[in-house]
Amino acid sequence: MAMFHAPLRRLIKLWTEVRLAEPAPLQLNPDLPTLYVLPRPALSDVLLLDAYCREHGLPPAHGKLAELSLPRCVALPARGSRLWRGRATSVAPFTQLVANGIQVQLVPVSVFWGRAPGKNFGFWHLLAADSWQLTGRVRRALTVLINGRDVELQFGAPLHLEELHNGDPSLTNRKAARLLRVHFRRVRTRVLGPDLSHRSTMIQGVVASDAVRHAIGQQVDQGMSPSRLKRRARRYGHEIAANMTYPVLRFLAGALRRLWNRLYDGVDVTGLDKVKSLAGDHTLIYVPCHRSHIDYLLLSYVLYREGLMPPHIAAGKNLNMPIVGPLLRRGGAFFLRRSFRDNRLYGAVFNEYLHRLLAGGYPMEYFIEGGRSRSGRMLSPRPGMLAMTLTSFMRCQRGDDRPMVFVPVYIGYERILENSSYQRELSGGKKRKESPLGLLRVIGRLREPYGRVAVNIGEPLPIADFLDRSAPEWRTSGADDHPWLKPTVTGLGHLLTQRINEVAALNAANLTGLALLASPYRALEHATLCDQLALLSRLARSPACAQTPSLPAESPEDCVTKAVALELVERHHHRLGDIVSASPAQAAQLAWYRNNVLHLFALPALVAFAFRSRTQRSPAELHDLLRPLWPPLAHEFCISDDADLGERIDAILTSLCDLDLLERYGASFTPKDSLAARERLQLVGRMIQPSLERNALLIEVLLHAGSGTLTRQELTERSRDLAERLGLLSGREAPEFFDPKLFETLIDTLGQEGWIWLEQQQVHFDECLRQAAQRASRLLDASLRRRLALITRYRENSDVRDRQSALNPEP
């Protein structure tokens, strides 16, 4: 048989294509012989591995080690009977090495010919791919023929036998085999996911569960038919449940690869190693930010491409439309209604289905914001899915101890498909219902430039560790007694949004938006704009920025060129120097991209803005001035405010000095005595000005109206109207400037900070709010204070005229 190995290896090399291989972590010792270990004996795996090793300069996998009688590639013995056992032994083949004291490094290698998540799907199941079931030799040959262009190699870290030896060769042999089997099982779980139950079996189990039967029993007591309710529960299950199948996953992987190549210049992924280290023995719950409908597909594609099992995705029922819905369902989507608070049976079915997915170890993905962000900033997290996840986790901990981990994911685009629709909806337009015809309209725009996409993985959050810190009583609370759950879910949502924001991606679109929209007339000289982009990149790398964003690979000049190519700005050629500007429509789009990353510079911009009204300030003065302003801004931008504000301000002042924007003046700081430096400092400070104006406007409206005179809705609407007027007067007419959700978030923050409270639906405050407003007004210069006063007074006079008209109607 050995004489056929060379031609077979050449045939395998010609026929196959390794789609993914991960030899990077290998740190082989060149002085030790290398022994490759496969999870099961298969000649095709040995030949493929040898061809790959020879091509990439790794130690060969074919032949025998010169100093040993063992081949260079061995397999752990297959368990159970096989039709053709060959030379498989009942024990791992390392005893001879240990007994002779031979030092060798074992490299575990997993080979996947295609990937099937262990589901029965007819003829494809016979031919297609690796699953949790072992394959016979005939099926292996068919698998090689069918899946030769879709092969993955997963290399494990080298294992040194001498480090395991404790004097007994047979015991060391069993210990090495056990460690290798654990490694192979973790890799298979990471790549293939858990063994999927058939969809109908899953639905039957959900309907027969105690929780659903209890919900049915409650409605039977109200006079409804048990058989009818059971049929309804089964119908809910079919409406909800995913039907993930390997052929569709493989089809989507190929289709999406072509789509990304046509639509985007590339997809940049960072931080995925943290996920791969957890995927083998943790249940992963991906919680990405929600910017575009593409998010659903993008993360699954990235995970599949990088050798991880795509997750089950919670999708809105609005996406369960003809053609698209069945395709998404077979790609792993399960559908939920926007609200089912009043439908207890539906809620019981959905909760039980979600629990069975999590308890089974299936990776999952959902968007904690609930919907796509029309303003570009993170939305306040919705508690529903988070609460159900924590409840399911506590049920699992009473049985299976498989850890669950939240994986925050930031997705950043240089241009999104929904640009025009977001601006229309922010301006008051009605949201269009999703439909296949809408998909066809999107396909017609695929030839337009969309730049690159960034997928950044944040710091994973183990649920058990979070609960131990936030609600230690969770381990002893009863099955239905969770008074701590609601505040804990709120804290969990805020923490996850903060971790998502911490790994934001800076790119050509949002950097250009940050700089250009900070200018008074949305226009800058090309050289000045490039200098400001370089300054923002340096500021993001400095200690002033507490987060860890990824930076663009392009130079500032290339970033501006790309922004022009993406049609986000216009470049006007002039003999005295080019000028870059944005039209009102472009400025509205740029505001969306700016808001993706404005949180990174919120506190540095606030410090820089403080030098607008006064040119010399000490650190103590800045701390006293900014302390009441920072919590609402931190809440608006989903930033952690746990760090000491004084230390943060000191670090920012030092960084601004290093950037030649400030200089020390005794114990204080003052702007650099340079026109260019002052202009750059003002541009940094103006980035935060819209938020400060909005916040000051709402507080002015509340103070003028008086305590207990406005409801929450009235306060939001009045502030929104005045912000729209202020935007028109100041040239800031982008709809996101007067987005009512921003005022709702500010009202929530003021309530959490104790500045305001609700009594009988009315907003109340005391003298503390007035004093804080007076202190904060010192940050604004005279022109800004006068503008806000005039706007507020206009509204007050308008209300008086309306009341007089109502009392004295014209005949």
Side-chain angles (χ1 to χ4, degrees):
M1 188 65 179
M3 61 183 296
F4 296 106
H5 281 190
L8 284 175
R9 185 177 65 246
R10 287 193 291 270
L11 183 62
I12 284 280
K13 183 177 180 181
L14 291 173
W15 179 252
T16 61
E17 179 180 338
V18 178
R19 187 183 64 82
L20 176 68
E22 294 196 352
L26 289 181
Q27 295 180 351
L28 297 178
N29 187 342
D31 298 329
L32 293 179
T34 299
L35 187 64
Y36 296 100
V37 183
L38 297 172
R40 57 181 182 268
L43 178 61
S44 56
D45 291 354
V46 176
L47 295 175
L48 174 71
L49 177 61
D50 185 46
Y52 181 85
C53 291
R54 291 174 184 269
E55 183 178 354
H56 291 83
L58 295 172
H62 180 61
K64 292 185 180 252
L65 295 170
E67 54 279 304
L68 306 173
S69 60
L70 280 175
R72 296 178 181 273
C73 183
V74 298
L76 294 180
R79 295 181 175 180
S81 61
R82 293 172 59 92
L83 184 60
W84 296 292
R85 181 172 291 278
R87 295 186 177 182
T89 59
S90 59
V91 295
F94 309 127
T95 307
Q96 177 187 354
L97 299 175
V98 178
N100 295 334
I102 299 175
Q103 296 185 8
V104 66
Q105 50 193 349
L106 308 177
V107 179
V109 184
S110 301
V111 184
F112 298 95
W113 299 83
R115 285 196 279 155
K119 186 174 175 62
N120 293 320
F121 41 77
F123 189 63
W124 271 99
H125 184 67
L126 172 66
L127 296 181
D130 278 301
S131 69
W132 278 102
Q133 302 176 11
L134 297 178
T135 57
R137 293 189 177 181
V138 175
R139 184 178 167 196
R140 165 64 60 167
L142 292 174
T143 298
V144 172
L145 288 174
I146 297 296
N147 296 286
R149 317 303 290 179
D150 186 23
V151 186
E152 294 183 17
L153 290 176
Q154 301 275 346
F155 290 80
L159 181 68
H160 297 272
L161 276 179
E162 65 273 10
E163 297 177 358
L164 304 176
H165 187 40
N166 59 358
D168 185 348
S170 61
L171 182 61
T172 303
N173 181 64
R174 291 196 301 272
K175 184 176 181 181
R178 184 172 65 252
L179 290 175
L180 288 168
R181 284 197 174 95
V182 169
H183 167 80
F184 288 131
R185 184 168 63 250
R186 291 189 65 201
V187 172
R188 289 183 71 80
T189 301
R190 186 180 76 190
V191 174
L192 304 180
D195 189 11
L196 282 173
S197 299
H198 195 273
R199 181 170 183 259
S200 62
T201 305
M202 172 75 85
I203 295 173
Q204 291 172 8
V206 169
V207 175
S209 67
D210 292 340
V212 175
R213 288 165 57 191
H214 178 69
I216 291 175
Q218 286 182 325
Q219 297 195 27
V220 167
D221 295 340
Q222 300 173 6
M224 301 186 71
S225 167
S227 59
R228 182 179 179 183
L229 288 170
K230 185 173 287 188
R231 288 196 301 271
R232 183 179 297 176
R234 193 175 294 112
R235 187 169 69 250
Y236 287 156
H238 283 280
E239 175 188 318
I240 294 168
N243 190 25
M244 184 179 283
T245 57
Y246 173 73
V248 173
L249 283 180
R250 188 171 177 179
F251 164 76
L252 286 175
L256 291 177
R257 181 172 62 250
R258 289 187 287 272
L259 174 64
W260 304 140
N261 290 338
R262 174 180 290 272
L263 193 62
Y264 298 112
D265 296 335
V267 180
D268 303 317
V269 183
T270 59
L272 205 58
D273 291 341
K274 294 177 285 190
V275 177
K276 292 181 179 180
S277 65
L278 297 170
D281 49 14
H282 290 71
T283 299
L284 302 180
I285 306 164
Y286 299 94
V287 282
C289 60
H290 200 8
R291 302 288 195 251
S292 169
H293 275 317
I294 294 294
D295 300 341
Y296 290 101
L297 305 174
L298 179 62
L299 183 57
S300 293
Y301 167 77
V302 166
L303 295 174
Y304 185 93
R305 186 190 70 178
E306 296 294 330
L308 292 166
M309 181 64 185
H312 282 67
I313 308 170
K317 189 183 175 184
N318 58 311
L319 293 179
N320 190 17
M321 65 184 96
I323 303 175
V324 177
L327 189 63
L328 292 178
R329 193 185 296 275
R330 286 167 174 78
F334 61 97
F335 297 96
L336 73 157
R337 300 178 180 181
R338 288 297 180 187
S339 176
F340 45 87
R341 181 178 301 174
D342 299 328
N343 190 337
R344 292 189 176 182
L345 181 56
Y346 181 92
V349 172
F350 186 84
N351 270 283
E352 185 64 26
Y353 177 75
L354 185 75
H355 169 68
R356 288 179 177 248
L357 286 180
L358 292 172
Y362 303 116
M364 186 178 295
E365 173 190 344
Y366 54 78
F367 302 98
I368 57 177
E369 297 168 273
R372 292 168 294 156
S373 173
R374 269 64 175 179
S375 65
R377 65 185 79 229
M378 285 290 298
L379 304 177
S380 297
R382 304 288 290 273
M385 291 292 291
L386 292 175
M388 286 186 277
T389 301
L390 292 187
T391 303
S392 176
F393 170 76
M394 289 183 289
R395 288 177 61 185
C396 292
Q397 294 309 294
R398 295 182 175 93
D400 180 23
D401 288 332
R402 183 179 176 89
M404 294 186 191
V405 179
F406 284 110
V407 181
V409 183
Y410 177 90
I411 303 177
Y413 299 89
E414 288 186 329
R415 187 183 175 195
I416 57 170
L417 291 168
E418 298 95 335
N419 260 334
S420 57
S421 63
Y422 284 176
Q423 298 307 315
R424 184 184 66 253
E425 292 171 29
L426 279 173
S427 301
K430 187 177 180 181
K431 180 180 179 293
R432 291 176 181 171
K433 186 178 180 180
E434 287 80 5
S435 67
L437 290 178
L439 180 62
L440 291 177
R441 286 194 296 267
V442 170
I443 292 176
R445 300 201 303 267
L446 294 185
R447 293 186 180 276
E448 299 177 11
Y450 288 91
R452 301 185 70 84
V453 186
V455 179
N456 294 348
I457 308 299
E459 185 63 28
L461 178 64
I463 295 181
D465 293 349
F466 170 78
L467 289 179
D468 286 339
R469 293 193 306 269
S470 303
E473 62 271 25
W474 76 273
R475 294 186 180 273
T476 56
S477 61
D480 300 315
D481 180 26
H482 309 314
W484 47 267
L485 184 61
K486 185 175 180 179
T488 303
V489 167
T490 301
L492 174 62
H494 290 322
L495 181 56
L496 290 175
T497 55
Q498 290 166 10
R499 293 201 176 188
I500 292 171
N501 272 343
E502 285 174 357
V503 289
L506 292 172
N507 57 42
N510 52 49
L511 276 173
T512 303
L514 284 169
L516 201 60
L517 296 183
S519 62
Y521 303 105
R522 303 187 301 266
L524 286 172
E525 292 180 340
H526 180 267
T528 303
L529 178 59
C530 292
D531 289 343
Q532 195 66 13
L533 297 189
L535 172 68
L536 292 175
S537 298
R538 292 175 60 194
L539 187 60
R541 289 192 295 265
S542 72
C545 185
Q547 292 87 3
T548 55
S550 59
L551 300 174
E554 301 95 344
S555 66
E557 291 79 7
D558 291 338
C559 285
V560 175
T561 302
K562 176 174 281 190
V564 173
L566 294 174
E567 301 177 354
L568 297 174
V569 296
E570 298 173 352
R571 182 171 179 174
H572 307 278
H573 297 286
H574 193 274
R575 61 181 181 178
L576 299 181
D578 290 357
I579 295 175
V580 180
S581 66
S583 67
Q586 290 173 326
Q589 294 180 11
L590 279 177
W592 192 92
Y593 299 100
R594 175 201 60 190
N595 291 343
N596 288 179
V597 295
L598 183 55
H599 62 276
L600 297 172
F601 304 96
L603 190 53
L606 187 61
V607 173
F609 189 84
F611 288 91
R612 169 173 173 160
S613 58
R614 187 172 173 183
T615 58
Q616 184 177 326
R617 294 192 183 274
S618 67
E621 181 185 1
L622 283 171
H623 181 267
D624 182 63
L625 180 65
L626 304 183
R627 183 169 51 84
L629 296 174
W630 180 237
L633 291 172
H635 192 87
E636 175 186 340
F637 292 112
C638 301
I639 307 171
S640 173
D641 60 350
D642 295 336
D644 182 79
L645 184 60
E647 294 180 358
R648 289 285 313 277
I649 290 175
D650 289 342
I652 291 169
L653 291 172
T654 301
S655 297
L656 294 179
C657 287
D658 294 339
L659 294 171
D660 290 329
L661 300 182
L662 295 178
E663 60 184 356
R664 294 182 181 273
Y665 187 79
S668 301
F669 291 84
T670 186
K672 271 276 191 178
D673 189 16
S674 162
L675 184 60
R678 288 177 180 271
E679 183 181 17
R680 290 198 297 268
L681 183 66
Q682 287 180 1
L683 288 174
V684 172
R686 286 200 189 106
M687 293 192 300
I688 201 69
Q689 183 173 332
S691 296
L692 292 174
E693 290 182 359
R694 271 194 307 265
N695 295 0
L697 187 61
L698 182 139
I699 294 175
E700 285 292 326
V701 169
L702 190 56
L703 292 176
H704 275 78
S707 179
T709 60
L710 295 176
T711 66
R712 176 191 174 97
Q713 184 177 357
E714 290 171 343
L715 178 59
T716 300
E717 292 177 353
R718 187 171 296 189
S719 301
R720 188 261 177 204
D721 290 343
L722 292 178
E724 183 177 12
R725 184 174 180 83
L726 176 62
L728 291 171
L729 291 172
S730 60
R732 199 179 291 120
E733 61 270 25
E736 65 89 22
F737 178 67
F738 41 89
D739 184 3
K741 291 184 179 179
L742 297 176
F743 294 105
E744 293 171 1
T745 300
L746 178 58
I747 293 173
D748 291 337
T749 306
L750 294 176
Q752 293 171 8
E753 294 295 322
W755 300 110
I756 62 175
W757 61 92
L758 293 178
E759 288 183 7
Q760 299 179 348
Q761 304 301 319
Q762 304 293 315
V763 180
H764 291 257
F765 61 90
D766 55 21
E767 192 61 24
C768 292
L769 180 65
R770 192 178 301 277
Q771 293 175 359
Q774 290 174 351
R775 291 172 59 193
S777 66
R778 291 183 293 164
L779 186 64
L780 307 177
D781 57 30
S783 61
L784 280 178
R785 290 199 299 268
R786 182 173 179 275
R787 184 190 307 168
L788 292 173
L790 287 174
I791 291 291
T792 309
R793 191 175 304 138
Y794 170 84
R795 175 68 198 216
E796 187 176 5
N797 294 336
S798 177
D799 290 342
V800 171
R801 288 194 298 270
D802 291 342
R803 287 194 295 269
Q804 290 175 348
S805 298
L807 293 174
N808 302 300
E810 294 182 3

